[in-house]
Amino acid sequence: MEHFDVIIIGSGPAGEKAAAQAAYIGKKALIIEKEPVVGGAMVNTGTLPSKTLRETSLFFSGKKRHRMYGVEYREKKFSVQELMFRKNLIIKKEIEMINENLAKHKVAQVRGSAYFIDRHTIGIEGGDDKFTADFVLISVGSHPYRPKMIPFEEPSVYDSDEILHMINIPKSMVIIGAGVIGCEYACMFAALGIDITLVDTRDVILPFLDREISRLLVEELKKLGVRIIFNESIEKVEVKNGTCETHLKSGEVLRTETHLFAAGRSGNTEGLKLENIGLSANSRGQLEVNEHYQTEIPHIYAAGDVIGFPSLASTSMEQGRVAMCHAFDFLYKDRVAALLPLGLYTIPEVSMVGMTEEEARKNSIDYEVGKSFYADNPRGQIIGNERGMLKLVFAKEDKKLLGVHVIGDNASEIVHTGMMTMHFGGTIDAFIACVFNYPTLSDIYKYAAYDGLGNLSGHKIRK
């Protein structure tokens, strides 16, 4: 049996970055990956493919060009092969880059389904290979939650991984679950002219968002043609004569060409034989960890989707790095940053970091807000995105920035300026003091700050 300093089960964002971090400090690392290629859901079924598909749908639909220069863009017909072409190209390139990174760090790789023989020994299902290690990181990722009432065996019924392999572009689709995945797919498919109905059990989409931003996103979804049904759940799904019938508890039956179930994911812990080491996952296959990403067995760590919220590729990468730094007592990265930006690749994009207005009120913080709109920004007018908005939440007492919320083009990029200001404990005065390139979307920070000052003083400040 070959011995390693650390064995990492899974090569998604947490696993890859953990392996590179361990190798960087001179440790012998092994990644065991059950799939034929590296990258996990981030590369193959989730983050990159869906975001690439979003950009492709914007390109083919012409949504970015509508109303610009006084010319109405005429949509062209396209095939599902054309729609998926760039997605496949991006996946191939990213897999190559991950393999190059692991090779550069001299990280060993083995293909197969790993399982625990004991607390320091890992076997490969169906083979005789065994490996031992001082430390183990479980970064096996997640898969779509698939309730028994949904007939996934039907070719027109998809989960959020399978939808990326659809054969034809349907005319209609019902999407169950208005979470991040459901909203992103609702936008991109609606942009392509597909008749979309989005169903959720709650009375608001994405409740972690600032409520004003959430309402604006709902308005944008409706403008794309999405029908949203709130406070509703499904009773059953049937496929009859090629039509998906989604029966709601209210009695309404939605008849569409396709059905996408996108309500939650479960950790890929089944098959690890955790019972052999006295470790157990919860009902969603997720593992509990402490602030160092240790499970209840100190030398066994877990990171990424398998530990649940926030299940973001960016956060998973940091979790993997922090776990390895702790395991090998490398005093470099001892925690994941407290400020975690969230990016939703809807149409338009939404991004946030820090407190919402609702959270500030709940925590009895005396706060004020400042807003700026893309419609008042020359770059916003140039690119034809006039419905975007930046919202700053800050403390009245010292103007310290508490939260940043953006909806509009490049929101996931724009949010970082506010995040870095918050990271260093800055106030909204920082935006007024700074000079921004002109014309840029980033300039909306200055005018949101001016708006906030005006709200503080009770009158609008001349800008």
Side-chain angles (χ1 to χ4, degrees):
M1 288 190 290
E2 190 172 0
H3 184 78
F4 291 85
D5 295 310
V6 60
I7 291 175
I8 296 159
I9 307 175
S11 66
E16 181 212 349
K17 301 308 181 187
Q21 180 70 73
Y24 176 77
I25 55 180
K27 303 302 177 181
K28 186 180 178 183
L30 167 67
I31 280 183
I32 302 176
E33 172 57 61
K34 70 176 182 178
E35 300 296 336
V37 294
V38 294
M42 179 189 76
V43 173
N44 298 288
T45 59
T47 309
L48 291 182
S50 63
K51 279 48 175 180
T52 306
L53 199 59
R54 174 191 184 273
E55 295 304 311
T56 307
S57 70
L58 283 172
F59 173 80
F60 279 120
S61 67
K63 294 297 180 186
K64 280 190 173 180
R65 285 160 281 189
H66 281 181
R67 297 180 307 278
M68 290 178 64
Y69 315 116
V71 176
E72 186 68 19
Y73 177 81
R74 292 184 179 274
E75 297 176 12
K76 70 180 283 292
K77 290 185 178 180
F78 53 91
S79 67
V80 73
Q81 288 77 22
E82 289 176 297
L83 184 65
M84 298 297 179
F85 174 77
R86 186 153 184 83
K87 169 192 75 87
N88 296 335
L89 202 65
I90 296 295
I91 289 174
K92 181 175 180 292
K93 180 63 177 175
E94 190 62 23
I95 289 170
E96 289 172 0
M97 291 174 64
I98 291 173
N99 279 322
E100 286 173 9
N101 187 40
L102 295 176
K104 181 177 70 177
H105 286 90
K106 296 181 172 58
V107 174
Q109 290 192 54
V110 167
R111 292 289 178 271
S113 296
Y115 68 94
F116 283 94
I117 295 173
D118 59 44
R119 293 188 174 191
H120 285 279
T121 309
I122 306 295
I124 304 296
E125 196 67 50
D128 297 323
D129 290 339
K130 297 175 185 177
F131 307 93
T132 59
D134 298 325
F135 296 96
V136 177
L137 173 70
I138 301 171
S139 54
V140 290
S142 62
H143 62 274
Y145 172 58
R146 294 170 63 116
K148 293 179 180 178
M149 71 177 77
I150 311 295
F152 290 105
E153 69 278 2
E154 294 285 351
S156 56
V157 178
Y158 300 93
D159 64 31
S160 55
D161 284 357
E162 294 172 333
I163 197 68
L164 291 164
H165 304 288
M166 63 182 182
I167 300 170
N168 299 302
I169 297 173
K171 291 181 179 178
S172 58
M173 178 185 295
V174 62
I175 300 176
I176 304 300
V180 173
I181 296 172
C183 286
E184 288 181 349
Y185 278 122
C187 287
M188 69 177 77
F189 288 135
L192 293 171
I194 299 172
D195 184 15
I196 299 294
T197 302
L198 183 61
V199 181
D200 199 87
T201 56
R202 297 163 295 194
D203 59 359
V204 62
I205 66 169
L206 306 166
F208 55 82
L209 290 180
D210 181 274
R211 289 301 162 90
E212 184 177 13
I213 299 293
S214 179
R215 285 194 297 271
L216 287 173
L217 181 58
V218 168
E219 290 175 15
E220 294 300 315
L221 281 164
K222 289 179 178 178
K223 285 175 185 175
L224 282 170
V226 177
R227 178 194 177 197
I228 306 175
I229 303 177
F230 291 113
N231 299 309
E232 186 62 278
S233 56
I234 54 174
E235 194 118 286
K236 64 178 178 177
V237 177
E238 297 176 319
V239 178
K240 294 180 180 177
N241 300 318
T243 298
C244 294
E245 295 186 354
T246 301
H247 296 256
L248 304 180
K249 290 227 170 150
S250 62
E252 184 178 359
V253 180
L254 305 173
R255 292 178 174 85
T256 55
E257 277 192 27
T258 51
H259 177 104
L260 169 59
F261 188 86
R265 296 180 69 87
S266 301
N268 291 327
T269 46
E270 190 176 352
L272 290 177
K273 298 186 180 179
L274 296 175
E275 64 275 10
N276 290 348
I277 58 172
L279 199 60
S280 60
N282 65 19
S283 60
R284 278 295 184 96
Q286 296 165 345
L287 296 170
E288 231 178 89
V289 294
N290 63 16
E291 69 274 18
H292 307 299
Y293 302 98
Q294 292 170 292
T295 65
E296 57 191 68
I297 302 170
H299 73 276
I300 297 178
Y301 292 72
D305 282 11
V306 76
I307 65 171
F309 185 84
S311 296
L312 299 169
S314 55
T315 308
S316 298
M317 294 176 189
E318 291 301 288
Q319 291 170 349
R321 292 180 179 119
V322 168
M324 291 300 93
C325 287
H326 182 266
F328 297 112
D329 200 25
F330 183 55
L331 304 178
Y332 171 63
K333 191 181 280 285
D334 62 352
R335 63 176 61 87
V336 173
L339 288 172
L340 299 176
L342 295 175
L344 280 73
Y345 295 86
T346 45
I347 301 173
E349 285 184 19
V350 173
S351 196
M352 63 165 285
V353 66
M355 280 190 182
T356 63
E357 277 198 75
E358 293 72 32
E359 288 171 328
R361 283 197 294 268
K362 185 178 179 181
N363 288 284
S364 303
I365 294 172
D366 195 14
Y367 74 93
E368 189 52 87
V369 300
K371 301 176 188 177
S372 184
F373 300 89
Y374 282 38
D376 300 324
N377 176 277
R379 188 63 179 271
Q381 295 166 22
I382 290 169
I383 64 176
N385 187 333
E386 298 180 358
R387 293 193 297 271
M389 182 183 80
L390 167 68
K391 180 179 187 177
L392 306 177
V393 179
F394 61 96
K396 279 187 177 181
E397 182 182 8
D398 56 7
K399 295 181 284 186
K400 184 176 181 180
L401 188 60
L402 303 174
V404 179
H405 309 273
V406 197
I407 181 169
D409 276 7
N410 300 315
S412 59
E413 300 283 353
I414 291 168
V415 75
H416 294 137
T417 300
M419 183 186 73
M420 293 306 295
T421 303
M422 291 174 64
H423 179 77
F424 291 109
T427 69
I428 62 169
D429 290 332
F431 306 128
I432 293 172
C434 285
V435 176
F436 295 90
N437 279 328
Y438 181 88
T440 61
L441 290 176
S442 295
D443 202 34
I444 58 175
Y445 273 102
K446 185 181 289 286
Y447 294 98
Y450 274 126
D451 184 64
L453 289 181
N455 292 334
L456 270 183
S457 62
H459 64 275
K460 290 296 177 185
I461 290 179
R462 190 177 181 83
K463 302 175 234 181

